[in-house]
């Protein structure tokens, strides 16, 4: 006999990072980030998400502009400033921008 797969768990039972990345009107699936990608970055001080762009992904640990960054860290620039995000914090601090807004950030026309 064939079994029917169980439905996905309710959103409230998913970890916080999964809930933050839950599909919206124009959801963009997760995947590896690249330099130049349009993202949203969480600001703890403002308690909100800001549109930004991945400026750099560090492939090795180093000091840059007075900050020690580990390999895999991501530098995001956004209207309020610049944020260096450690690899273990990426899932909770950076998310992809909805498609239409991402295209606008890169200068593409919106329909």
């Amino acid at each position: 006999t064939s079994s029917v797969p169980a439905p996905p768990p309710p959103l409230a039972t998913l970890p916080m990072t999964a809930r933050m990345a839950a599909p919206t009107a124009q959801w963009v699936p997760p995947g590896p980030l690249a330099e130049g990608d349009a993202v949203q970055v969480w600001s703890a001080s403002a308690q909100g998400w800001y549109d930004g762009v991945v400026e750099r992904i560090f492939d090795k640990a180093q000091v840059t502009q007075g900050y020690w960054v580990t390999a895999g860290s991501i530098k995001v620039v956004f209207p309020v400033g610049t944020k260096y995000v450690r690899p273990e914090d990426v899932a909770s601090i950076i998310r992809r921008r909805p498609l239409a807004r991402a295209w606008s950030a890169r200068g593409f026309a919106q329909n």
Side-chain angles (χ1 to χ4, degrees):
T1 68
S2 66
S3 63
V4 177
L11 190 59
T13 64
L14 294 175
M16 179 56 87
T17 54
R19 282 186 274 166
M20 289 188 301
T24 59
Q26 287 189 300
W27 183 69
V28 179
L33 292 170
E35 292 175 1
D37 278 357
V39 296
Q40 290 183 320
V41 60
W42 176 255
S43 170
S45 59
Q47 290 294 295
W49 292 96
Y50 285 88
D51 289 345
V53 176
V54 173
E55 185 172 283
R56 185 166 179 196
I57 299 174
F58 295 89
D59 60 352
K60 62 182 179 180
Q62 61 189 312
V63 175
T64 182
Q65 297 181 337
Y67 293 96
W68 173 255
V69 295
T70 57
S73 292
I74 297 176
K75 179 182 180 182
V76 179
V77 293
F78 59 109
V80 179
T82 301
K83 186 173 280 217
Y84 292 87
V85 182
R86 296 178 304 209
E88 61 269 21
D89 297 328
V90 168
S92 61
I93 295 176
I94 299 174
R95 67 182 184 189
R96 292 189 178 277
R97 251 192 262 176
L99 187 57
R101 292 175 71 173
W103 282 14
S104 176
R106 290 189 172 185
F108 295 106
Q110 290 180 303
N111 291 335

